C-alpha cells in the first residue's frame, strides 16, 4: 500500500442502484483498513442522500457499474458521481463484479467481528446492494494495490449511517460545520472559522478524521453520548488525569492509525520481484510500519499508568481492553527479538532512512550487513565531499540537506555563487540510494516471519487504532477546547427520548470566541409548543440564532459540552436547514426554485425527531404566493412532532399563534431612535412591530425621501387592516390557547426532576392560575 502522509482522502467507494431507487454503498478506507456499508432508498430526484455520503467520505476513487438504472426523473449514481465529484477518479467495472453472494462471503471472511454482530446472517438478502458494492470494491482494491487482505482484519460497519444523526450536504454548508461560507467576518480583520476548525486541535490524523466524521454524523444513542460526557466530566474535574493523558498521547506517533493497514494487506509477491523499484518502496514502508508499531507499543506502559485510577466507564474500558491485554506485550516481545531496541519512529527524513536501514539486529543477514556498510560509506563520502567543496571553492555556507525524493543535495546561497558552478559538483546519491534500497529489500526478507506473526493478532491492532483516535478526540479536542474557556462557560447537556429542547443562555460556539460581548439567547420547544417563529428586522440576529441552535445540538450529540448555562435536549435524528438565497446556473434553477427543492426534500424526509430551521421561506417570489407557501409549510410542520424554528420578515405569520397554540412567537429586540435602529441581539417573547424598518434601511441606502414617504403611507394602511384581523383571531381562539398552555406546563412538569412536594405545589399553582384567568 502507498504511504499516506497527509489528511487527503483514502476512501474507495463502490456505488450501485436498482430501479426501485435503492442505492448500495461500500466505502473502503485504505488508511484504517475499514469497510463501511450502507443501503437506503433515495427519496430525492437529486440523490441528496448519496450526495451527503459522498461529501462525508470525500472518496479518492468511485466504482460504478456500466448500466444506468436510474428511474424516470432520477439522475443516477453514475451521473451524480460525474457532477458532484468531477475531479475524483471514476472506475467502471463489469456488472458481474457486483456480486452480492460473493460480497457476503468476503465480508464474513474479512470482518474482524463475527457476522452475527454485523447482522449479515439475517439481513444479507434484504441489503444485497451494499454487499454487491463491497464485492466490486474489494476486488478493485486487491487488484489495483497488488495485495491480499488478511482474514478477520477489517473493521466493518453495517448500515452505519442510520445509527447516527443525518445532516444533508446543504445543511452542512449552511451551518458551516466543515468549511466557513465566507473566509472573513464583515467589519473585522478576523478569519472566520468553521466548527471543525474550532475543534481541530487533535494531534493525530486519525483523531482529526474521527472528529470530522462525528461532526458530519453525530451520535443518536443516548448511552454512548452519556458515556463520552461522563469521560469528559472526569477529565475536567481531574486535572492530573487530563494533563497525564495529554502527555501520554504525545508518545504515540502521529501516524499510528495508518500503520494498521500495512498488517491487514499482504503483498501478493514479496520475493519474486526484488529488483523492482516498486518493491523497494514497499519494503521501506513495511520496515517503517514495524518501527512505528514498536514505538506505539513502547508508549503503552505510560498510558496504562495514567489510566489505572480512571473512574469513568469509557476510560475504564480502555484500560481493560488495551492496557490489560497480554497480546500487545506478546507482539512487542516478538518485535524485540528481531528489531534493535534503539530504533524509534522519527519524522526527520535522513534519520528515518538510517533507522530503516539499521532496524534489524546486526548479524541476522550477511548481505544486509554488507549493504549497511555501503550505505555508511557513501553517506560519509557525501559529507566529506561537502567539506572539501567548502574549502576548495570558498563556500562556507554550503549545506547538504536531505529529503526522501531527492536524497542528498547541495544548497548554496545565491550571494555566494560567482558565475557558473564548477563541473566537479557531482553527487554520490545514486550509490547511497542503491545501498539504502538493498538494505530495505534484505530487511524486508528478514521481517517476513515477524509480519506473518503480527498478522495473526491484527484484530487487536484495529482496537488500538480506534482507541487512540477516540482518546485523541476526547482529550486533545473536546477537553482542550473546554479548558481554554472561562470556568462554567460550557455545560453538559441532559438527554431525553421525548422531552423538550431547552437551552438557557446559549451562545454561538464559533462567534463567541470572536465577539467578547456576544449576547446569549435560549430556546424552549416541546410537544405542546413545537414551533418557534422568530421575527425581527434585517441584521437583528435571526440567521445567527438559527445556526447557533443547530451547532449546539451537534456539539451535544458528539459527546461534548455546549456553550450555555443549562441544556436538556431530545435526541435529534436529522437536521434540516433552509437558509440563504442563490441561483443554480448548473441546474438552470432560480432562487425560488432552489428554495422549493430544498423545502420539498425536507417535507419528504422529515421524522418526528427531526430539527428543522428555515430562514425566510418564500421571499423569492410574489408576496402573496410567498406568504401562502410559508403559511402552508408551517401548518404542515405543526401537524408533526418535529421541532421547528422559522425565521421570517413576514409579520402576518404571527397570526399562526392565534390559531395554533403550539406556535411560539419570538422577536429580536431593537430600539428605534431618530430613524436609526439600535440592535440589542436579545431574543424576547411575543411579537413586536418595528414600523418601517425596511424603509429606514432604504433611506440609509440613499433612496429618495419622497419615495420613502410614499412607501410609509402605503404600508401604514396595510398594517392597520392586519392588526384588526389579528385582534379578531385572538378573541376567537383564546379558549383553545388556554388549554394548550395548561398542557405545555404539564409536559414541562412531566420531565422535571423535582421532588413530590414541589410537584404538588407547582400543580396547585397551575390550577389557581387557570381558575383565576392569570395563565398567559
Amino acid at each position: 500500500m502507498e504511504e499516506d502522509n497527509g489528511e487527503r482522502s483514502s476512501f474507495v467507494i463502490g456505488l450501485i442502484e436498482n430501479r426501485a431507487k435503492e442505492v448500495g454503498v461500500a466505502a473502503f478506507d485504505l488508511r484504517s483498513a475499514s469497510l463501511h456499508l450502507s443501503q437506503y432508498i433515495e427519496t430525492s430526484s437529486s440523490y441528496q442522500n448519496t450526495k451527503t455520503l459522498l461529501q462525508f467520505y470525500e472518496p479518492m476513487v468511485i466504482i460504478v457499474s456500466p448500466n444506468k438504472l436510474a428511474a424516470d426523473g432520477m439522475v443516477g449514481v453514475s451521473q451524480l458521481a460525474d457532477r458532484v465529484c468531477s475531479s475524483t477518479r471514476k472506475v467502471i467495472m463489469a456488472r458481474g463484479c457486483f456480486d452480492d453472494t460473493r460480497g457476503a462471503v468476503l465480508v464474513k471472511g474479512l470482518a474482524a467481528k463475527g457476522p452475527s454482530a454485523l447482522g449479515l446472517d439475517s439481513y444479507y438478502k434484504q441489503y444485497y446492494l451494499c454487499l454487491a458494492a463491497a464485492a466490486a470494491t474489494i476486488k478493485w482494491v486487491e487488484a489495483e494495490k497488488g495485495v491480499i487482505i488478511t482474514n478477520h482484519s477489517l473493521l466493518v460497519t453495517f448500515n452505519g449511517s442510520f445509527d447516527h444523526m443525518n445532516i444533508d450536504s446543504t445543511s452542512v454548508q449552511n451551518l458551516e460545520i466543515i468549511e466557513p461560507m465566507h473566509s472573513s467576518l464583515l467589519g473585522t480583520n478576523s478569519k472566520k472559522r468553521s466548527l471543525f476548525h474550532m475543534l481541530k486541535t487533535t494531534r493525530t490524523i486519525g483523531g482529526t478524521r474521527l472528529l470530522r466524521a462525528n461532526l458530519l454524523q453525530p451520535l443518536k444513542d443516548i448511552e454512548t453520548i452519556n458515556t463520552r460526557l461522563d469521560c469528559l466530566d472526569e477529565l475536567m474535574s481531574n486535572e492530573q488525569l487530563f494533563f497525564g493523558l495529554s502527555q501520554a498521547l504525545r508518545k504515540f506517533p502521529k501516524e499510528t492509525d495508518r500503520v494498521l493497514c500495512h498488517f491487514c494487506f499482504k503483498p501478493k509477491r514479496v520475493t519474486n520481484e526484488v529488483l523492482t523499484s516498486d518493491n523497494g518502496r514497499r519494503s521501506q514502508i513495511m520496515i517503517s510500519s514495524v518501527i512505528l508499531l514498536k514505538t506505539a507499543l513502547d508508549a503503552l506502559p505510560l498510558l496504562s499508568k495514567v489510566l489505572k485510577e480512571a473512574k469513568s466507564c469509557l476510560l475504564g474500558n480502555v484500560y481493560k481492553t488495551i492496557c490489560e491485554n497480554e497480546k500487545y506485550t506478546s507482539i512487542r516481545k516478538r518485535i524485540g527479538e528481531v528489531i534493535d531496541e534503539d530504533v524509534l519512529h522519527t519524522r526527520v527524513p535522513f534519520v528515518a532512512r538510517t533507522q530503516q536501514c539499521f532496524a534489524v539486529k546486526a548479524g541476522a543477514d550477511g548481505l544486509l550487513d554488507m549493504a549497511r556498510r555501503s550505505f555508511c560509506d557513501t553517506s560519509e563520502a557525501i559529507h566529506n565531499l561537502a567539506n572539501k567543496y567548502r574549502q576548495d571553492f570558498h563556500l562556507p555556507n554550503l549545506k547538504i540537506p536531505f529529503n526522501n525524493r531527492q536524497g542528498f543535495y547541495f544548497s548554496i546561497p545565491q550571494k555566494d555563487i560567482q558565475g557558473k558552478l564548477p563541473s566537479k559538483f557531482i553527487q554520490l546519491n545514486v550509490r547511497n540510494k542503491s545501498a539504502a534500497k538493498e538494505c530495505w529489500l534484505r530487511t524486508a526478507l528478514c521481517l517476513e516471519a515477524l509480519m506473518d506473526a503480527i498478522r495473526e493478532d491484527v484484530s487487536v491492532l484495529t482496537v488500538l487504532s480506534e482507541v487512540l483516535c477516540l482518546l485523541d478526540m476526547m482529550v486533545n479536542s473536546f477537553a482542550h477546547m473546554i479548558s481554554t474557556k472561562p470556568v462554567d462557560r460550557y455545560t453538559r447537556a441532559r438527554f431525553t427520548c421525548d422531552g423538550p429542547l431547552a437551552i438557557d443562555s446559549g451562545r454561538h460556539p464559533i462567534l463567541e470566541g470572536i465577539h467578547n460581548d456576544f449576547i446569549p439567547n435560549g430556546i424552549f420547544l416541546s410537544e405542546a409548543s413545537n414551533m418557534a417563529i422568530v421575527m425581527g428586522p434585517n441584521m437583528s440576529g435571526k440567521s445567527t440564532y438559527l445556526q447557533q441552535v443547530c451547532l449546539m445540538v451537534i456539539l451535544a450529540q458528539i459527546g461534548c459540552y455546549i456553550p450555555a448555562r443549562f441544556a436538556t435536549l431530545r435526541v435529534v435524528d436529522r437536521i434540516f436547514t433552509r437558509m440563504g438565497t442563490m441561483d443554480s446556473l448548473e441546474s438552470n434553477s432560480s432562487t425560488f426554485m432552489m428554495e422549493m427543492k430544498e423545502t420539498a426534500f425536507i417535507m419528504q424526509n422529515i421524522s418526528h425527531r427531526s430539527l428543522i430551521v428555515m430562514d425566510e421561506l418564500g421571499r423569492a417570489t410574489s408576496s402573496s404566493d410567498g406568504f401562502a407557501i410559508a403559511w402552508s409549510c408551517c401548518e404542515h410542520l405543526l401537524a408533526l412532532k418535529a421541532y421547528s424554528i422559522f425565521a421570517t420578515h413576514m409579520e402576518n405569520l404571527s397570526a399562526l399563534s392565534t390559531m395554533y397554540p403550539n406556535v411560539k412567537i419570538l422577536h429580536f429586540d431593537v430600539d428605534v431612535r431618530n430613524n436609526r435602529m439600535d440592535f440589542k441581539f436579545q431574543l424576547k417573547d411575543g411579537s413586536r412591530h418595528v414600523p418601517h424598518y425596511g424603509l429606514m434601511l432604504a433611506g440609509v441606502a440613499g433612496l429618495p425621501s419622497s419615495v420613502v414617504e410614499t412607501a410609509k403611507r402605503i404600508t401604514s394602511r396595510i398594517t392597520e387592516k392586519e392588526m384588526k384581523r389579528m385582534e379578531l383571531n385572538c378573541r376567537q381562539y383564546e379558549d383553545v390557547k388556554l388549554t394548550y398552555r395548561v398542557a405545555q406546563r404539564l409536559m414541562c412538569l412531566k420531565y422535571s426532576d423535582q421532588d413530590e412536594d414541589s410537584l404538588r405545589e407547582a400543580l396547585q399553582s397551575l390550577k389557581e392560575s387557570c381558575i383565576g384567568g392569570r395563565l398567559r
Side-chain angles (χ1 to χ4, degrees):
M1 304 297 291
E2 298 94 345
E3 187 170 11
D4 178 13
N5 55 8
E7 296 181 24
R8 59 189 175 90
S9 172
S10 58
F11 276 99
V12 177
I13 285 188
L15 292 173
I16 189 171
E17 63 178 323
N18 62 18
R19 295 188 184 276
K21 301 182 182 179
E22 278 189 292
V23 178
V25 180
F28 197 116
D29 188 357
L30 298 175
R31 181 185 177 89
S32 61
S34 57
L35 179 66
H36 308 279
L37 306 176
S38 300
Q39 184 166 326
Y40 48 87
I41 297 176
E42 272 294 357
T43 57
S44 168
S45 61
S46 60
Y47 278 61
Q48 189 66 46
N49 291 323
T50 307
K51 183 179 177 183
T52 298
L53 278 181
L54 289 176
Q55 183 183 46
F56 175 73
Y57 290 119
E58 293 184 328
M60 56 184 284
V61 177
I62 298 177
I63 301 170
V64 295
S65 66
N67 297 328
K68 297 180 180 179
L69 297 177
D72 293 341
M74 306 289 281
V75 298
V77 293
S78 182
Q79 294 180 36
L80 179 76
D82 291 335
R83 190 177 66 197
V84 177
C85 304
S86 57
S87 61
T88 301
R89 179 183 175 187
K90 181 180 173 183
V91 176
I92 299 177
M93 295 184 69
R95 184 77 182 181
C97 297
F98 291 82
D99 185 343
D100 57 294
T101 304
R102 174 63 177 164
V105 172
L106 285 172
V107 170
K108 289 179 182 179
L110 299 178
K113 298 179 181 178
S116 59
L118 301 173
L120 294 178
D121 285 345
S122 305
Y123 301 109
Y124 77 91
K125 291 184 178 179
Q126 181 179 356
Y127 297 114
Y128 68 95
L129 283 176
C130 62
L131 293 174
T137 304
I138 293 171
K139 181 181 179 67
W140 183 88
V141 168
E142 291 191 330
E144 179 75 10
K145 304 302 179 182
V147 297
I148 300 172
I149 302 173
T150 307
N151 284 338
H152 306 298
S153 64
L154 295 184
L155 171 65
V156 179
T157 60
F158 187 62
N159 215 26
S161 62
F162 302 101
D163 298 330
H164 299 79
M165 181 201 296
N166 189 305
I167 310 175
D168 62 271
S169 56
T170 302
S171 297
V172 169
Q173 182 179 356
N174 289 338
L175 298 175
E176 301 179 296
I177 296 175
I178 303 299
E179 292 293 337
M181 296 183 72
H182 305 286
S183 60
S184 61
L185 288 171
L186 188 63
T188 71
N189 294 323
S190 302
K191 290 288 185 181
K192 191 172 184 182
R193 299 191 300 168
S194 65
L195 186 63
F196 176 57
H197 292 150
M198 185 191 80
L199 292 169
K200 190 181 171 184
T201 51
T202 47
R203 290 197 67 255
T204 67
I205 295 175
T208 302
R209 293 186 174 198
L210 180 63
L211 172 64
R212 180 182 180 275
N214 273 262
L215 290 174
L216 291 175
Q217 291 187 343
L219 301 170
K220 287 198 308 188
D221 182 65
I222 294 180
E223 183 178 354
T224 306
I225 296 172
N226 284 329
T227 299
R228 288 189 180 181
L229 290 171
D230 290 341
C231 172
L232 206 51
D233 286 345
E234 184 174 18
L235 290 173
M236 302 318 299
S237 61
N238 188 336
E239 193 173 287
Q240 184 177 357
L241 175 64
F242 172 44
F243 286 108
L245 269 177
S246 298
Q247 294 301 315
L249 291 173
R250 290 178 182 273
K251 300 295 183 181
F252 290 90
K254 183 179 180 181
E255 307 89 347
T256 299
D257 69 303
R258 191 202 70 222
V259 72
L260 174 65
C261 71
H262 299 301
F263 298 100
C264 294
F265 304 117
K266 184 175 182 179
K268 291 181 179 179
R269 293 178 296 275
V270 176
T271 58
N272 294 341
E273 300 178 0
V274 294
L275 296 179
T276 66
S277 60
D278 180 60
N279 203 67
R281 177 62 176 159
R282 286 185 178 182
S283 300
Q284 182 188 13
I285 294 174
M286 179 198 299
I287 300 164
S288 177
S289 299
V290 174
I291 295 174
L292 192 147
L293 178 59
K294 172 183 176 294
T295 306
L297 295 177
D298 286 342
L300 280 180
L302 178 58
L303 181 66
S304 176
K305 181 180 178 181
V306 174
L307 289 176
K308 190 171 185 179
E309 303 300 326
K311 307 297 183 184
S312 63
C313 179
L314 190 152
L315 297 180
N317 285 339
V318 169
Y319 181 80
K320 293 176 183 178
T321 305
I322 302 297
C323 303
E324 293 184 347
N325 193 330
E326 294 298 327
K327 287 189 176 181
Y328 295 106
T329 305
S330 174
I331 294 174
R332 177 63 184 86
K333 183 178 179 181
R334 289 173 182 170
I335 293 175
E337 293 171 354
V338 180
I339 302 297
D340 193 282
E341 286 297 323
D342 294 332
V343 173
L344 290 174
H345 173 72
T346 178
R347 298 177 65 86
V348 181
F350 182 67
V351 178
R353 174 172 286 191
T354 304
Q355 295 273 40
Q356 292 159 5
C357 291
F358 288 85
V360 174
K361 291 181 176 179
D365 183 275
L367 293 176
L368 173 59
D369 292 339
M370 291 176 60
R372 284 172 171 171
R373 283 195 292 272
S374 177
F375 175 77
C376 291
D377 291 344
T378 52
S379 298
E380 184 179 2
I382 289 172
H383 284 83
N384 291 337
L385 183 64
N387 289 331
K388 184 175 185 298
Y389 285 170
R390 289 189 187 101
Q391 296 175 3
D392 294 351
F393 301 105
H394 307 289
L395 296 171
N397 296 316
L398 183 147
K399 298 179 181 179
I400 49 169
F402 176 91
N403 61 40
N404 289 325
R405 182 180 296 274
Q406 296 174 274
F408 288 103
Y409 60 94
F410 291 129
S411 173
I412 307 170
Q414 183 69 36
K415 62 182 179 65
D416 291 352
I417 300 177
Q418 303 296 331
K420 293 184 178 180
L421 292 174
S423 58
K424 290 185 178 181
F425 270 59
I426 60 174
Q427 295 182 0
L428 292 168
N429 256 342
V430 175
R431 288 170 55 191
N432 186 262
K433 286 182 177 180
S434 178
K437 178 182 173 183
E438 183 65 24
C439 288
W440 298 333
L441 294 173
R442 301 307 306 177
T443 300
L445 293 176
C446 296
L447 293 179
E448 277 191 43
L450 175 62
M451 292 291 289
D452 290 338
I454 294 175
R455 287 190 181 103
E456 293 177 2
D457 293 324
V458 72
S459 59
V460 300
L461 300 184
T462 305
V463 176
L464 177 61
S465 175
E466 283 186 87
V467 164
L468 291 177
C469 292
L470 179 60
L471 288 178
D472 185 27
M473 182 179 71
M474 294 297 300
V475 176
N476 293 322
S477 177
F478 297 175
H480 172 78
M481 182 269 294
I482 298 167
S483 68
T484 60
K485 306 293 182 182
V487 179
D488 297 330
R489 294 282 288 176
Y490 275 62
T491 188
R492 171 178 177 162
R494 298 181 181 181
F495 283 92
T496 63
C497 292
D498 298 300
L501 167 59
I503 299 175
D504 180 29
S505 299
R507 303 179 305 280
H508 195 291
I510 303 171
L511 297 182
E512 73 153 349
I514 300 172
H515 301 289
N516 295 327
D517 56 347
F518 191 88
I519 306 298
N521 287 297
I523 181 71
F524 183 88
L525 295 172
S526 67
E527 289 187 8
S529 179
N530 65 327
M531 176 177 285
I533 297 181
V534 182
M535 313 186 81
N538 305 79
M539 301 185 295
S540 59
K542 299 189 300 298
S543 298
T544 297
Y545 176 71
L546 297 184
Q547 191 182 72
Q548 169 184 312
V549 172
C550 292
L551 292 181
M552 284 194 289
V553 170
I554 291 170
L555 271 179
Q557 288 193 212
I558 65 174
C560 185
Y561 289 1
I562 65 173
R565 184 185 299 164
F566 167 82
T568 178
L569 307 176
R570 182 178 77 174
V571 173
V572 173
D573 66 350
R574 298 193 73 156
I575 287 181
F576 297 100
T577 66
R578 220 256 29 102
M579 297 178 175
T581 56
M582 63 182 68
D583 294 344
S584 177
L585 300 179
E586 295 84 357
S587 59
N588 193 29
S589 297
S590 65
T591 296
F592 180 66
M593 179 57 74
M594 292 299 295
E595 280 188 26
M596 293 301 98
K597 286 182 177 180
E598 292 177 8
T599 305
F601 175 73
I602 294 174
M603 299 301 180
Q604 293 166 1
N605 292 277
I606 194 172
S607 75
H608 71 282
R609 292 187 184 277
S610 299
L611 174 63
I612 305 100
V613 295
M614 306 186 80
D615 192 1
E616 299 299 346
L617 180 65
R619 70 176 178 180
T621 186
S622 67
S623 58
S624 58
D625 287 353
F627 174 73
I629 290 171
W631 183 285
S632 60
C633 285
C634 286
E635 286 191 322
H636 180 82
L637 295 174
L638 283 169
L640 306 173
K641 292 183 178 180
Y643 292 160
S644 307
I645 310 175
F646 202 102
T648 183
H649 289 292
M650 301 176 185
E651 294 187 353
N652 294 349
L653 281 180
S654 62
L656 278 165
S657 64
T658 66
M659 301 173 62
Y660 297 96
N662 49 332
V663 176
K664 178 185 295 184
I665 305 296
L666 305 169
H667 73 274
F668 275 95
D669 192 23
V670 178
D671 278 349
V672 181
R673 297 175 183 174
N674 301 323
N675 285 330
R676 298 285 179 175
M677 288 185 289
D678 180 15
F679 298 107
K680 302 298 183 183
F681 303 109
Q682 184 70 53
L683 192 65
K684 294 188 176 182
D685 289 334
S687 61
R688 184 197 169 189
H689 176 62
V690 180
H692 314 313
Y693 63 81
L695 300 180
M696 292 181 199
L697 292 176
V700 172
L703 211 64
S705 58
S706 60
V707 175
V708 174
E709 288 301 321
T710 302
K712 282 183 180 179
R713 290 194 297 270
I714 295 172
T715 191
S716 295
R717 290 198 296 267
I718 296 173
T719 303
E720 183 180 353
K721 291 180 180 179
E722 287 299 320
M723 294 299 293
K724 290 180 179 179
R725 187 179 62 82
M726 289 178 63
E727 289 176 6
L728 180 63
N729 285 337
C730 284
R731 291 194 297 269
Q732 183 178 354
Y733 293 99
E734 187 63 33
D735 292 341
V736 178
K737 290 173 64 177
L738 179 62
T739 304
Y740 261 79
R741 288 195 185 100
V742 172
Q744 183 176 358
R745 300 287 178 85
L746 290 174
M747 290 290 293
C748 294
L749 291 174
K750 176 182 177 180
Y751 292 105
S752 70
D753 54 1
Q754 300 181 54
D755 56 36
E756 185 175 342
D757 291 338
S758 299
L759 285 174
R760 289 182 181 276
E761 183 179 344
L763 288 171
Q764 182 62 32
S765 175
L766 178 61
K767 179 180 177 182
E768 293 173 356
S769 298
C770 187
I771 294 174
R774 300 190 305 272
L775 187 63
R776 291 289 184 269

